[in-house]
Amino acid sequence: MRVSRLLRALAKAGRPAHLVGDADAGVVVALHVEGRWFAVLDGEVLNRVNPEAIEGQSTRERYLNPGGDGLWPAPEGTTLGYQYCTGAWRVSPGLCAARYRITKAAAARVSICAEVDLVNNRGFGVPALFKRHIAIARGQRSVTVRVVESITCISRAPLRRADCLLAPWTLCQFDCGPGCEVVFPAAQQASVWDLYDAPSDGQRTWSGPLCRTRTDGSQRYQIAIDAKTPWIEFRDPRRGLVVRRKAGPLPAGQSYIDIRDASPDVSPGEKGVRYSVYSDTAHFMEIEAAGGCPATIRPNTEMSVTVSTRFTRT
């Protein structure tokens, strides 16, 4: 999709947008579409775009996933997740309807913020501020998007880890098909594990410390990758597109958590997730990075992670 078409679609739907950089190298920030951003290079939008999500509205029965790059709360499922508080999988209306506002802007950067009230699967309410500090840098046939992702708890009382887990989780989405894959270095095969019951080992090959996992739409799966892995990279040979994502270290006192989409009757596991890869049979995929959570979430505690994503055309 051309960036001009995306901007027209957002304007027609009455969804305010902000362009950081320009059509040659930049990002379109859709303030009223979950605050998602879409990378742009040479006039082309590189992320997946779902026009139906721009024009329509998500409901409890049907979630319209916008594509782009979004900030979600983790975990997704388990007893402390945020998407089963009604019993069935549902993206929080507070997240879907979030209205981000610009708090600071310059030519190559923008900061946005929204208030999002969350309810976890144990019924704990968590009022929060979602903030995204976005900056771009141009390169040789590339653009790098550096984002400080944060969720600040603004509750009046502390929340213990046994009652509440909360971490920022950024999901960068792309169309995919034959030949698409995610590559990353992993110290050992135990650094990678499935987040769904059905194993996806058949999608992966190993060459020394390098793992390659297919994201060609042949199987729906999600894998977790632990803190030892420094980066993950999506490769789409059809478009000559390479996207490398790197998450920085966590703030002191915060640790990675179990982010998986598991039944709300299942307790969170002990294995923490730094990166994850999601592949869908509808021919889209996500490279994901997660932050961490402290032992106790006190009022005004900010959970944050800095994620750098470099988009290169080969």
Side-chain angles (χ1 to χ4, degrees):
M1 176 183 284
R2 303 298 294 178
V3 63
S4 55
R5 181 182 166 194
L6 174 58
L7 290 170
R8 284 197 304 270
L10 289 164
K12 183 179 178 181
R15 310 266 194 166
H18 181 80
L19 177 61
V20 183
D22 54 36
D24 291 327
V27 294
V28 173
V29 183
L31 295 164
H32 292 186
V33 187
E34 298 182 19
R36 296 207 177 201
W37 59 259
F38 301 80
V40 178
L41 196 61
D42 297 329
E44 181 188 354
V45 180
L46 303 179
N47 293 96
R48 177 176 185 260
V49 180
N50 180 7
E52 189 179 8
I54 294 172
E55 300 161 2
Q57 180 177 334
S58 292
T59 65
R60 179 162 54 94
E61 293 77 22
R62 186 173 180 231
Y63 173 61
L64 302 177
N65 194 321
D69 184 290
L71 171 60
W72 275 16
E76 184 170 357
T78 75
T79 54
L80 300 182
Y82 294 95
Q83 290 181 279
Y84 289 93
C85 61
T86 63
W89 188 92
R90 181 191 71 152
V91 179
S92 164
L95 187 62
C96 292
R99 295 295 184 260
Y100 279 81
R101 61 185 178 87
I102 295 173
T103 57
K104 188 179 295 185
R109 63 184 63 241
V110 68
S111 295
I112 63 174
C113 178
E115 294 187 47
V116 180
D117 287 347
L118 302 168
V119 180
N120 75 9
N121 296 334
R122 294 193 60 185
F124 280 84
V126 186
L129 294 178
F130 281 48
K131 290 180 278 188
R132 314 191 80 183
H133 304 289
I134 304 165
I136 67 160
R138 301 167 187 257
Q140 186 77 22
R141 293 185 58 78
S142 71
V143 62
T144 298
V145 186
R146 181 180 182 273
V147 186
V148 180
E149 309 278 15
S150 73
I151 300 177
T152 303
C153 174
I154 54 174
S155 65
R156 64 181 180 83
L159 297 168
R160 298 176 305 147
R161 195 162 177 144
D163 299 320
C164 179
L165 287 176
L166 180 59
W169 180 22
T170 174
L171 309 90
C172 201
Q173 195 173 106
F174 301 90
D175 293 313
C176 63
C180 292
E181 63 178 356
V182 174
V183 177
F184 53 90
Q188 52 189 358
Q189 294 194 19
S191 293
V192 183
W193 64 98
D194 276 297
L195 294 178
Y196 294 156
D197 291 336
S200 63
D201 304 72
Q203 298 296 316
R204 286 184 294 286
T205 57
W206 295 79
S207 177
L210 199 65
C211 177
R212 312 170 79 101
T213 186
R214 287 193 295 273
T215 56
D216 56 6
S218 60
Q219 181 184 345
R220 179 177 180 266
Y221 72 88
Q222 186 179 20
I223 56 171
I225 306 166
D226 69 13
K228 300 184 187 72
T229 297
W231 51 263
I232 59 176
E233 185 174 276
F234 172 62
R235 299 176 180 176
D236 183 351
R238 306 168 307 162
R239 297 202 293 168
L241 178 63
V242 176
V243 184
R244 178 172 291 197
R245 171 156 272 205
K246 184 174 182 179
L250 297 181
Q254 298 181 20
S255 57
Y256 295 108
I257 65 170
D258 179 6
I259 68 170
R260 64 190 157 134
D261 178 10
S263 163
D265 300 322
V266 175
S267 297
E270 295 298 321
K271 296 174 76 172
V273 180
R274 183 180 193 180
Y275 299 106
S276 50
V277 177
Y278 175 75
S279 184
D280 197 281
T281 52
H283 293 283
F284 71 89
M285 61 79 61
E286 295 171 344
I287 46 175
E288 307 169 352
C293 182
T296 300
I297 302 175
R298 303 188 185 281
N300 297 314
T301 294
E302 181 178 66
M303 284 67 69
S304 68
V305 63
T306 300
V307 180
S308 177
T309 309
R310 187 181 69 215
F311 299 78
T312 305
R313 300 302 293 264
T314 59

Coordinates of all heavy atoms in Angstrom, one line a residue, residues 174-230:
F174 N 3.2 -8.1 9.6 CA 3.5 -8.1 8.2 C 2.6 -9.1 7.4 O 2.3 -10.1 8.0 CB 4.9 -8.4 7.9 CG 5.9 -7.4 8.6 CD1 6.4 -7.7 9.9 CD2 6.3 -6.3 8.0 CE1 7.2 -6.8 10.5 CE2 7.2 -5.4 8.6 CZ 7.6 -5.7 9.9
D175 N 2.3 -8.8 6.2 CA 1.8 -9.8 5.3 C 2.9 -10.8 5.0 O 4.1 -10.4 5.0 CB 1.3 -9.2 4.0 CG 0.1 -8.3 4.1 OD1 -0.8 -8.7 4.8 OD2 0.2 -7.2 3.6
C176 N 2.6 -12.1 4.8 CA 3.7 -13.1 4.6 C 3.2 -14.1 3.6 O 2.0 -14.2 3.3 CB 4.1 -13.7 5.9 SG 2.8 -14.6 6.7
G177 N 4.1 -15.0 3.2 CA 3.8 -16.0 2.2 C 5.0 -16.9 2.0 O 5.9 -16.9 2.8
P178 N 5.0 -17.6 0.9 CA 6.2 -18.5 0.6 C 7.5 -17.8 0.7 O 7.7 -16.7 0.2 CB 5.9 -19.0 -0.9 CG 4.4 -18.8 -1.0 CD 4.0 -17.6 -0.2
G179 N 8.4 -18.5 1.3 CA 9.8 -17.9 1.5 C 10.0 -17.1 2.7 O 11.1 -16.8 3.1
C180 N 8.9 -16.6 3.3 CA 9.1 -15.7 4.5 C 9.5 -16.5 5.7 O 9.1 -17.7 5.9 CB 7.7 -15.0 4.8 SG 7.2 -13.8 3.6
E181 N 10.4 -15.9 6.5 CA 10.9 -16.6 7.7 C 11.4 -15.5 8.7 O 11.5 -14.4 8.4 CB 12.1 -17.5 7.3 CG 13.3 -16.7 6.7 CD 14.5 -17.6 6.4 OE1 14.4 -18.8 6.7 OE2 15.5 -17.1 5.9
V182 N 11.6 -16.0 9.9 CA 12.3 -15.2 11.0 C 13.5 -16.0 11.4 O 13.5 -17.2 11.6 CB 11.3 -15.0 12.2 CG1 12.1 -14.3 13.3 CG2 10.1 -14.2 11.8
V183 N 14.6 -15.2 11.5 CA 15.9 -15.8 11.8 C 16.4 -15.1 13.0 O 16.2 -13.9 13.2 CB 16.9 -15.5 10.6 CG1 18.3 -16.0 10.9 CG2 16.4 -16.2 9.3
F184 N 17.1 -15.9 13.9 CA 17.7 -15.3 15.1 C 18.7 -16.2 15.7 O 18.7 -17.4 15.5 CB 16.6 -15.0 16.2 CG 15.7 -16.2 16.5 CD1 16.1 -17.1 17.5 CD2 14.6 -16.5 15.8 CE1 15.3 -18.2 17.8 CE2 13.8 -17.6 16.0 CZ 14.1 -18.5 17.1
P185 N 19.7 -15.6 16.4 CA 20.7 -16.5 17.1 C 20.1 -17.0 18.5 O 19.5 -16.2 19.2 CB 21.9 -15.5 17.3 CG 21.2 -14.2 17.4 CD 20.0 -14.2 16.5
A186 N 20.3 -18.2 18.7 CA 19.8 -18.8 20.0 C 20.9 -19.6 20.6 O 21.5 -20.5 19.9 CB 18.6 -19.6 19.9
A187 N 21.3 -19.4 21.8 CA 22.4 -20.1 22.4 C 22.2 -21.6 22.5 O 23.1 -22.4 22.4 CB 22.7 -19.6 23.8
Q188 N 20.9 -22.0 22.7 CA 20.5 -23.4 22.7 C 19.1 -23.6 22.3 O 18.3 -22.6 22.4 CB 20.7 -24.0 24.1 CG 20.1 -23.1 25.2 CD 20.5 -23.6 26.6 OE1 21.2 -24.5 26.8 NE2 20.0 -22.9 27.6
Q189 N 18.7 -24.8 21.9 CA 17.3 -25.0 21.4 C 16.3 -24.8 22.5 O 15.2 -24.5 22.3 CB 17.2 -26.4 20.8 CG 18.0 -26.5 19.5 CD 17.7 -27.7 18.7 OE1 16.6 -28.3 18.8 NE2 18.6 -28.1 17.8
A190 N 16.7 -24.9 23.8 CA 15.8 -24.7 24.9 C 15.5 -23.3 25.1 O 14.5 -22.9 25.8 CB 16.5 -25.2 26.2
S191 N 16.2 -22.4 24.3 CA 15.8 -20.9 24.4 C 14.6 -20.6 23.6 O 14.1 -19.5 23.6 CB 17.0 -20.1 23.8 OG 18.1 -20.2 24.6
V192 N 14.0 -21.6 22.9 CA 12.8 -21.4 22.0 C 11.8 -22.5 22.5 O 12.1 -23.6 22.6 CB 13.2 -21.6 20.6 CG1 12.0 -21.4 19.7 CG2 14.3 -20.7 20.1
W193 N 10.6 -22.0 22.7 CA 9.5 -23.0 23.0 C 8.2 -22.5 22.4 O 7.9 -21.3 22.2 CB 9.4 -23.2 24.5 CG 9.0 -22.0 25.4 CD1 7.8 -21.7 25.9 CD2 9.9 -21.0 25.8 NE1 7.9 -20.6 26.6 CE2 9.1 -20.1 26.6 CE3 11.3 -20.8 25.7 CZ2 9.7 -19.0 27.2 CZ3 11.8 -19.6 26.3 CH2 11.0 -18.8 27.1
D194 N 7.3 -23.5 22.3 CA 5.9 -23.2 21.8 C 5.0 -22.5 22.8 O 5.1 -23.0 24.0 CB 5.3 -24.4 21.2 CG 5.7 -24.8 19.8 OD1 5.4 -24.0 18.9 OD2 6.3 -25.8 19.6
L195 N 4.2 -21.6 22.4 CA 3.2 -21.0 23.3 C 1.8 -21.6 23.1 O 0.9 -21.3 23.8 CB 3.2 -19.5 23.1 CG 4.5 -18.7 23.5 CD1 4.4 -17.2 23.3 CD2 4.8 -19.0 25.0
Y196 N 1.6 -22.4 22.0 CA 0.4 -23.1 21.8 C 0.7 -24.6 22.0 O 1.8 -25.0 22.0 CB -0.1 -22.9 20.4 CG -0.6 -21.5 20.1 CD1 -0.6 -21.0 18.7 CD2 -1.0 -20.6 21.1 CE1 -1.0 -19.7 18.4 CE2 -1.3 -19.3 20.8 CZ -1.4 -18.9 19.4 OH -1.8 -17.6 19.1
D197 N -0.4 -25.4 22.2 CA -0.3 -26.8 22.5 C 0.3 -27.5 21.3 O 1.1 -28.5 21.4 CB -1.6 -27.4 22.8 CG -2.1 -26.9 24.2 OD1 -1.3 -26.5 25.0 OD2 -3.3 -26.9 24.4
A198 N -0.1 -27.2 20.0 CA 0.4 -27.9 18.9 C 1.8 -27.5 18.6 O 2.2 -26.3 18.5 CB -0.5 -27.5 17.6
P199 N 2.7 -28.5 18.5 CA 4.1 -28.2 18.3 C 4.4 -27.6 16.9 O 3.7 -28.0 15.9 CB 4.8 -29.5 18.5 CG 3.8 -30.6 18.2 CD 2.5 -29.9 18.6
S200 N 5.4 -26.7 16.8 CA 5.7 -26.1 15.5 C 7.2 -26.4 15.2 O 7.8 -25.7 14.3 CB 5.5 -24.6 15.6 OG 6.4 -24.0 16.5
D201 N 7.8 -27.5 15.8 CA 9.2 -27.8 15.5 C 9.4 -28.0 14.0 O 10.5 -27.7 13.5 CB 9.6 -29.1 16.3 CG 9.3 -29.0 17.7 OD1 8.1 -29.0 18.1 OD2 10.3 -28.9 18.5
G202 N 8.4 -28.5 13.3 CA 8.6 -28.8 11.9 C 8.8 -27.5 11.0 O 9.2 -27.6 9.9
Q203 N 8.5 -26.4 11.6 CA 8.7 -25.1 10.9 C 10.1 -24.6 11.0 O 10.5 -23.6 10.3 CB 7.7 -24.0 11.5 CG 6.3 -24.4 11.3 CD 5.8 -24.5 9.9 OE1 6.2 -23.6 9.1 NE2 5.1 -25.5 9.6
R204 N 10.9 -25.2 11.9 CA 12.2 -24.6 12.2 C 13.4 -25.5 11.8 O 13.3 -26.7 11.8 CB 12.4 -24.3 13.7 CG 11.5 -23.1 14.1 CD 11.7 -22.8 15.6 NE 11.2 -23.8 16.5 CZ 9.9 -24.0 16.7 NH1 9.0 -23.2 16.0 NH2 9.5 -24.9 17.5
T205 N 14.5 -24.9 11.4 CA 15.8 -25.5 11.1 C 16.8 -24.8 11.9 O 16.7 -23.6 12.2 CB 16.1 -25.5 9.6 OG1 16.2 -24.2 9.1 CG2 15.1 -26.3 8.8
W206 N 17.9 -25.5 12.2 CA 19.0 -24.9 13.0 C 20.3 -25.1 12.2 O 20.6 -26.2 11.7 CB 19.1 -25.6 14.4 CG 17.9 -25.4 15.2 CD1 16.7 -26.0 15.2 CD2 17.8 -24.5 16.3 NE1 15.9 -25.6 16.1 CE2 16.5 -24.6 16.9 CE3 18.7 -23.6 16.9 CZ2 16.1 -23.9 17.9 CZ3 18.3 -22.8 18.0 CH2 17.0 -23.0 18.5
S207 N 21.1 -24.1 12.3 CA 22.5 -24.2 11.7 C 23.4 -23.5 12.7 O 23.5 -22.3 12.8 CB 22.5 -23.4 10.4 OG 23.9 -23.4 9.9
G208 N 24.1 -24.4 13.5 CA 24.9 -23.9 14.6 C 23.9 -23.1 15.6 O 22.9 -23.6 16.0
P209 N 24.3 -21.9 16.0 CA 23.5 -21.1 16.9 C 22.3 -20.4 16.2 O 21.6 -19.7 16.9 CB 24.5 -20.2 17.6 CG 25.4 -19.9 16.5 CD 25.6 -21.2 15.7
L210 N 22.2 -20.5 14.9 CA 21.2 -19.7 14.2 C 19.9 -20.6 13.9 O 20.0 -21.7 13.4 CB 21.8 -19.3 12.8 CG 21.0 -18.1 12.2 CD1 21.2 -16.8 13.0 CD2 21.6 -17.9 10.8
C211 N 18.8 -20.0 14.3 CA 17.5 -20.7 14.1 C 16.8 -19.9 13.0 O 16.7 -18.7 13.0 CB 16.7 -20.7 15.4 SG 15.1 -21.4 15.2
R212 N 16.1 -20.7 12.1 CA 15.2 -20.2 11.1 C 13.9 -20.8 11.2 O 13.7 -22.0 11.2 CB 15.8 -20.5 9.7 CG 17.3 -20.2 9.5 CD 17.8 -20.7 8.2 NE 17.4 -19.9 7.1 CZ 18.3 -19.0 6.6 NH1 19.5 -18.9 7.1 NH2 17.9 -18.2 5.6
T213 N 12.9 -20.0 11.4 CA 11.5 -20.5 11.6 C 10.6 -19.9 10.5 O 10.6 -18.7 10.2 CB 10.9 -20.1 13.0 OG1 9.7 -20.7 13.2 CG2 10.8 -18.6 13.2
R214 N 9.9 -20.8 9.8 CA 9.1 -20.4 8.6 C 7.9 -19.6 9.0 O 7.2 -20.1 10.0 CB 8.7 -21.6 7.8 CG 9.9 -22.2 7.0 CD 9.4 -23.2 6.0 NE 8.7 -24.4 6.6 CZ 9.4 -25.4 7.0 NH1 10.7 -25.5 6.9 NH2 8.8 -26.4 7.6
T215 N 7.6 -18.5 8.4 CA 6.4 -17.8 8.6 C 5.7 -17.6 7.3 O 5.4 -16.5 6.8 CB 6.7 -16.4 9.3 OG1 7.6 -15.7 8.4 CG2 7.2 -16.6 10.6
D216 N 5.4 -18.7 6.6 CA 4.9 -18.7 5.2 C 3.4 -19.0 5.2 O 2.8 -19.2 4.1 CB 5.6 -19.8 4.4 CG 5.5 -21.2 5.0 OD1 4.8 -21.4 6.0 OD2 6.2 -22.1 4.5
G217 N 2.7 -19.0 6.4 CA 1.3 -19.2 6.4 C 0.9 -20.7 6.4 O -0.3 -21.0 6.4
S218 N 1.8 -21.6 6.5 CA 1.4 -23.0 6.4 C 1.0 -23.6 7.8 O 0.3 -24.6 7.8 CB 2.7 -23.8 6.0 OG 3.7 -23.7 6.9
Q219 N 1.2 -22.9 8.9 CA 0.8 -23.3 10.2 C 0.6 -22.1 11.1 O 1.4 -21.2 11.1 CB 1.8 -24.3 10.8 CG 1.3 -24.8 12.2 CD 2.4 -25.7 12.9 OE1 3.3 -26.1 12.3 NE2 2.2 -25.9 14.2
R220 N -0.5 -22.2 11.9 CA -0.7 -21.1 12.9 C 0.1 -21.6 14.2 O -0.1 -22.6 14.7 CB -2.1 -21.0 13.2 CG -2.4 -19.9 14.3 CD -3.9 -19.8 14.5 NE -4.2 -18.8 15.6 CZ -4.4 -19.0 16.9 NH1 -4.3 -20.3 17.3 NH2 -4.7 -18.1 17.7
Y221 N 1.0 -20.7 14.6 CA 1.8 -21.0 15.8 C 2.4 -19.8 16.4 O 2.4 -18.7 15.7 CB 3.0 -22.0 15.4 CG 4.1 -21.4 14.6 CD1 5.2 -20.8 15.3 CD2 4.1 -21.6 13.2 CE1 6.2 -20.3 14.5 CE2 5.2 -21.0 12.5 CZ 6.2 -20.4 13.1 OH 7.3 -19.9 12.4
Q222 N 2.8 -19.9 17.6 CA 3.5 -18.8 18.3 C 4.6 -19.4 19.1 O 4.4 -20.3 19.9 CB 2.6 -18.0 19.2 CG 3.2 -16.7 19.8 CD 2.3 -15.9 20.6 OE1 1.3 -16.4 21.1 NE2 2.6 -14.6 20.8
I223 N 5.8 -18.9 19.0 CA 6.9 -19.3 19.8 C 7.5 -18.2 20.6 O 7.4 -17.0 20.3 CB 8.1 -19.9 18.9 CG1 8.6 -18.8 17.9 CG2 7.7 -21.2 18.2 CD1 9.8 -19.2 17.1
A224 N 8.0 -18.6 21.8 CA 8.7 -17.7 22.7 C 10.2 -17.9 22.6 O 10.7 -19.0 22.3 CB 8.2 -18.0 24.1
I225 N 10.9 -16.8 22.8 CA 12.4 -16.8 22.8 C 12.9 -16.1 24.0 O 12.4 -15.0 24.4 CB 12.9 -16.0 21.5 CG1 12.2 -16.6 20.3 CG2 14.4 -16.1 21.4 CD1 12.3 -15.8 19.0
D226 N 13.8 -16.7 24.7 CA 14.2 -16.1 26.0 C 15.2 -15.0 25.9 O 15.6 -14.5 24.8 CB 14.8 -17.3 26.9 CG 16.1 -17.8 26.5 OD1 16.8 -17.2 25.6 OD2 16.5 -18.9 27.0
A227 N 15.7 -14.5 27.1 CA 16.5 -13.3 27.2 C 17.9 -13.4 26.6 O 18.5 -12.4 26.4 CB 16.5 -12.9 28.7
K228 N 18.3 -14.6 26.4 CA 19.7 -14.8 25.8 C 19.8 -14.3 24.4 O 20.9 -14.1 23.9 CB 20.1 -16.2 26.0 CG 20.2 -16.8 27.4 CD 20.7 -18.2 27.4 CE 20.6 -18.8 28.8 NZ 19.2 -19.2 29.1
T229 N 18.7 -14.3 23.7 CA 18.7 -13.9 22.2 C 18.8 -12.4 22.1 O 17.9 -11.7 22.6 CB 17.5 -14.5 21.5 OG1 17.5 -15.9 21.6 CG2 17.4 -14.1 20.1
P230 N 19.7 -11.9 21.3 CA 19.9 -10.4 21.2 C 19.0 -9.7 20.2 O 18.6 -8.6 20.4 CB 21.4 -10.2 20.8 CG 21.7 -11.5 20.1 CD 20.9 -12.6 20.7

